[in-house]
Amino acid sequence: ASNPYKTITKATTSRNPGDEVRVAKSPDPTNLTGTIDFTFNSTAISGTNTLFTSELAIGDFIKAPDGNWYEVITLTSDTAAVLYKKYPGNTSTGYSSKKLGVTDTGAASGDTTVIQSISSSGNSSAYIYISGGWDLSTETQTGQTFFRQKHATFDNRYGYGLLLSNKIYTNISRLHFLRYTNGIRI
């Protein structure tokens, strides 16, 4: 825990059935200033006393009243922004939102670029476990791990976040992959 590997690929090399790879948690979500209005079936959001241009960046994810996270693709001003997907929940005003803490994996160069892969297999009586959300300083599982690929050409959602190729008996938990061609490719 005091000297962790940088990637799941390296951490799963030469593992034995029954071993567990513990992945550091992403930073905790942070509160955003002000409140946000979400409108049913709209990508536009508006804020009251918000600081979108200084607290958010294109490609960040914010929490909505329906409990889900939505990606911000345009920052118009401190009080206006646009989401990647339409908000499907009930219209809500005055919502105190948060920005998702992510672990950036860098840019993938193409659709099939492998960002991380699993390098070992388990067996029918002992799986390989790969679990996210670990606080490595206390060795306790206190959160989630959100990996994000962010290409310089923003519209490109490239790469396989995690590839399992001919690897079997693997258990994956608390790992999330954002902005990839495939988050997990089996």
Side-chain angles (χ1 to χ4, degrees), residues 32-37 46-52 78-80 93-95:
L32 295 174
T33 302
T35 61
I36 302 174
D37 298 342
S46 60
T48 301
N49 299 318
T50 49
L51 301 170
F52 289 161
D78 272 343
T79 59
T93 59
Y95 181 73

Side-chain angles (χ1 to χ4, degrees), residues 94-107:
Y95 181 73
S96 295
S97 188
K98 296 179 180 216
K99 178 174 98 170
L100 183 64
V102 298
T103 303
D104 282 312
T105 59

Side-chain angles (χ1 to χ4, degrees), residues 90-120:
N90 294 329
T91 295
S92 177
T93 59
Y95 181 73
S96 295
S97 188
K98 296 179 180 216
K99 178 174 98 170
L100 183 64
V102 298
T103 303
D104 282 312
T105 59
S109 59
D111 283 347
T112 59
T113 301
V114 176
I115 303 299
Q116 300 186 84
S117 63
I118 295 179
S119 304
S120 297

